[in-house]
Amino acid sequence: MYHERNYGLYIGGRWTWGTGSQKKGVLDPATGETIGHIPDATPEDIDQALAAAQAGFETWRKTPPWERAVKLRKVSDLLLERIDELCIVMATEAGKPLAEAKGEWLACAEQFEWYGEEAKRIFGQAYNGRDAATRMAVIYQPVGVVAAFSAWNFPALLPARKIAAALAAGCSVILKPAGETPASAAAILRACHEAGIPPGVVNMVTGNSARIAQQLIASPIVRKVSLTGSTPVGKQLLHLCADGVKKATMELGGHAPVLVFEDADVEAAAEACARGKFRNCGQVCASPSRFYVQDAAYDRFAKVFVDVAKQLKIGRFDQAGVTLGPMANARGLDHAKKLVADAVEKGAKLLTGGRVPVGFLRGYFYEPTVLGEVPDEARIMQDEPFSPIAPIARFKTLEEVIERANATPFGLTGYVFSRNLRTATLAAEALEVGMVGVNEVGIASAESPFGGIKESGMGREGGSIGIKDYLEAKFIKTRLI
């Protein structure tokens, strides 16, 4: 599918395979087979992308906001028109069930619709000076060329959050998508092209991530960096940003604590948490991933959770009734196996799963796994699992569970289940995270700010706040003469 769509590098408004001869294979995670190739961008290709983005910025920054809005809405419309085709593309390279792929493409289109409207609402301030002859104002201007790096777990939504916000603000973008899932990102750029986004405003390069990041961030042309990725990668890119004092948004790893109090609707909470946890085969940075259940509710919660896990059907997206696809790659599968082995060794009980499913000799499949009575010293309670493994532990008091929930360097999301307003409010306020769901696990949407604190990142994507990271505030003081 990569060759027939002419996916490769997108630079200055045209698709190209670049100046080099090196290419990288892309695998179907359900079979391990190569489904296509992407070019490995050379330093010359990167320089061309930088020059194109700079030229594109000079054009786009002068484009009136209402005109930008029309084009962004057109991108959204194009994505919706071809959503069935795009679901197959995403499911093939990312392993998602078709229903999950469709949900992601709908969310992707919403980002362009939302930010098309936000382009019209970049409001400054005007206020009175200290004397009759003084005027003071703050205006917002686009920061410049953006280097955007996205991960493979949401191959359309993650690029869309960056591209849509940047374009709404008047910036140009060079996107480096994940090597595992480039075709979904390329489909977005195809829609941008057909929507009339001028050449150079949106660009895409593929290849060696570390080398591309170093060259892009070192260039004085790039003034803003946006990454969705792991915490270690985020720290590396922040070091690179520091050398050039580049503005940065970092949406990094997470390990979301879930607090289930005995007064909650325990069965409903367990079902919601299980379905949220196993979405995208557990490869979601914001998903519920550490489950602390108050003693009186523990047995009921664990039973329902296990029942949901056992109902999931494992397979490739084109098989009937599949609700759980493969993990994205071999290293993730290996990580999952080690986490389970460590937890069991430290005293956790294996309630279900814990192995590669019978009959799946190819691909990166792993059974939905539930661990009970998991001690805090188990690696899975400290390390981001990013796999279909749910560890459940007990707690007694609010004060105790808050201390345990906050005892990791992560701070992306947290979840609270309680019918008691006081308990829910105090717990939500005490969790050291950027986002909290109360009796709810679906918290991401186009109009909501998405991001974390501590080592889960900085800045926000989405919502009215998200566009601010692509703008610079300028103060103007005028004396009338």
Side-chain angles (χ1 to χ4, degrees), residues 256-274 288-302 304-305 391-398 401-402 404-405 414-420 423-424 427 431 437-441:
V258 182
L259 281 50
V260 182
F261 292 88
E262 61 187 13
D263 58 29
D265 184 337
V266 176
E267 286 75 15
E271 180 161 355
C273 287
S289 59
R290 287 180 286 147
F291 302 90
Y292 299 98
V293 185
Q294 203 160 21
D295 278 332
Y298 179 91
D299 290 337
R300 292 158 56 204
F301 181 90
V304 174
F305 208 111
I392 307 177
R394 297 176 184 267
F395 77 89
K396 296 184 182 301
T397 67
L398 171 62
V401 75
I402 290 296
R404 292 165 67 190
Y415 301 90
V416 177
F417 288 85
S418 173
R419 287 191 175 104
N420 185 294
T423 298
L431 286 173
V438 178
N439 299 319
E440 171 68 76
V441 296

Side-chain angles (χ1 to χ4, degrees), residues 3 29 37-39 44 55 84 88 101 142 147-148 182 198 225 233 243 255-256 285 290 374 392 402 414-415 440 455:
H3 295 295
H37 294 85
I38 52 175
E44 182 181 348
D84 291 339
I88 299 296
V225 175
V233 172
D243 289 336
H255 197 357
C285 58
R290 287 180 286 147
V374 183
I392 307 177
I402 290 296
Y415 301 90
E440 171 68 76
E455 291 193 11

Side-chain angles (χ1 to χ4, degrees), residues 154-236:
F154 287 93
L157 178 57
L158 300 181
R161 281 179 177 156
K162 304 173 191 307
I163 295 171
L167 296 190
C171 300
S172 62
V173 182
I174 303 172
L175 173 69
K176 166 59 179 70
E180 291 91 342
T181 54
S184 295
I188 296 174
L189 271 71
R190 173 187 168 201
C192 289
H193 180 93
E194 295 178 16
I197 304 294
V201 177
V202 185
N203 307 271
M204 186 179 88
V205 294
T206 58
N208 184 287
S209 297
R211 178 172 52 78
I212 290 172
Q214 286 185 330
Q215 186 172 350
L216 286 178
I217 298 174
S219 170
I221 290 175
V222 169
R223 295 309 313 158
K224 154 82 184 194
V225 175
S226 178
L227 166 72
T228 301
S230 69
T231 297
V233 172
K235 291 178 179 179
Q236 293 173 9

Side-chain angles (χ1 to χ4, degrees), residues 130-476:
R130 297 191 178 191
D131 57 66
T134 301
R135 304 290 185 270
M136 294 190 287
V138 176
I139 63 172
Y140 287 93
Q141 297 178 310
V143 66
V145 175
V146 177
F149 304 88
S150 63
W152 44 260
N153 56 326
F154 287 93
L157 178 57
L158 300 181
R161 281 179 177 156
K162 304 173 191 307
I163 295 171
L167 296 190
C171 300
S172 62
V173 182
I174 303 172
L175 173 69
K176 166 59 179 70
E180 291 91 342
T181 54
S184 295
I188 296 174
L189 271 71
R190 173 187 168 201
C192 289
H193 180 93
E194 295 178 16
I197 304 294
V201 177
V202 185
N203 307 271
M204 186 179 88
V205 294
T206 58
N208 184 287
S209 297
R211 178 172 52 78
I212 290 172
Q214 286 185 330
Q215 186 172 350
L216 286 178
I217 298 174
S219 170
I221 290 175
V222 169
R223 295 309 313 158
K224 154 82 184 194
V225 175
S226 178
L227 166 72
T228 301
S230 69
T231 297
V233 172
K235 291 178 179 179
Q236 293 173 9
L237 265 59
L238 279 172
H239 279 289
L240 296 174
C241 289
D243 289 336
V245 195
K246 307 291 174 80
K247 196 169 186 175
T249 299
M250 297 279 145
E251 196 269 282
L252 308 178
H255 197 357
V258 182
L259 281 50
V260 182
F261 292 88
E262 61 187 13
D263 58 29
D265 184 337
V266 176
E267 286 75 15
E271 180 161 355
C273 287
R275 298 199 182 282
K277 169 58 197 175
F278 295 125
R279 183 169 68 103
N280 201 27
C281 205
Q283 300 167 127
V284 183
C285 58
S287 71
S289 59
R290 287 180 286 147
F291 302 90
Y292 299 98
V293 185
Q294 203 160 21
D295 278 332
Y298 179 91
D299 290 337
R300 292 158 56 204
F301 181 90
K303 180 184 183 303
V304 174
F305 208 111
V306 168
D307 289 344
V308 173
K310 289 180 176 179
Q311 292 167 11
L312 298 174
K313 182 177 178 180
I314 303 171
R316 194 172 186 267
F317 73 90
D318 53 1
Q319 297 170 327
V322 166
T323 52
L324 187 75
M327 299 186 68
N329 48 54
R331 66 181 181 275
L333 179 59
D334 184 60
H335 179 59
K337 293 176 181 178
K338 291 178 179 177
L339 287 177
V340 172
D342 173 79
V344 171
E345 181 181 337
K346 288 185 170 68
K349 297 178 180 178
L350 182 61
L351 303 182
T352 190
R355 63 179 182 175
V356 173
V358 175
F360 286 81
L361 303 178
R362 301 189 305 164
Y364 312 120
F365 293 95
Y366 197 71
E367 288 184 342
T369 299
V370 184
L371 298 167
E373 309 290 355
V374 183
D376 288 351
E377 60 267 23
R379 279 184 55 199
I380 196 167
M381 300 301 279
Q382 303 298 322
D383 297 350
E384 182 178 22
F386 228 60
S387 57
I389 307 169
I392 307 177
R394 297 176 184 267
F395 77 89
K396 296 184 182 301
T397 67
L398 171 62
E399 294 74 20
E400 167 212 337
V401 75
I402 290 296
E403 182 178 354
R404 292 165 67 190
N406 289 339
T408 75
F410 298 107
L412 186 58
T413 49
Y415 301 90
V416 177
F417 288 85
S418 173
R419 287 191 175 104
N420 185 294
L421 179 60
R422 181 180 186 277
T423 298
T425 300
L426 292 176
E429 292 176 350
L431 286 173
E432 295 174 352
V433 296
M435 302 173 285
V436 180
V438 178
N439 299 319
E440 171 68 76
V441 296
I443 60 174
S445 61
E447 67 273 23
S448 306
F450 190 97
I453 62 174
K454 297 166 48 175
E455 291 193 11
S456 286
M458 59 178 66
R460 293 296 182 269
E461 294 185 312
S464 298
I465 296 176
I467 202 169
K468 297 293 187 182
D469 279 322
Y470 296 89
L471 297 166
E472 294 283 17
K474 178 180 285 185
F475 171 66
I476 301 174

Side-chain angles (χ1 to χ4, degrees), residues 25-39:
V26 181
L27 304 181
D28 178 346
T31 64
E33 296 176 351
T34 300
I35 54 177
H37 294 85
I38 52 175

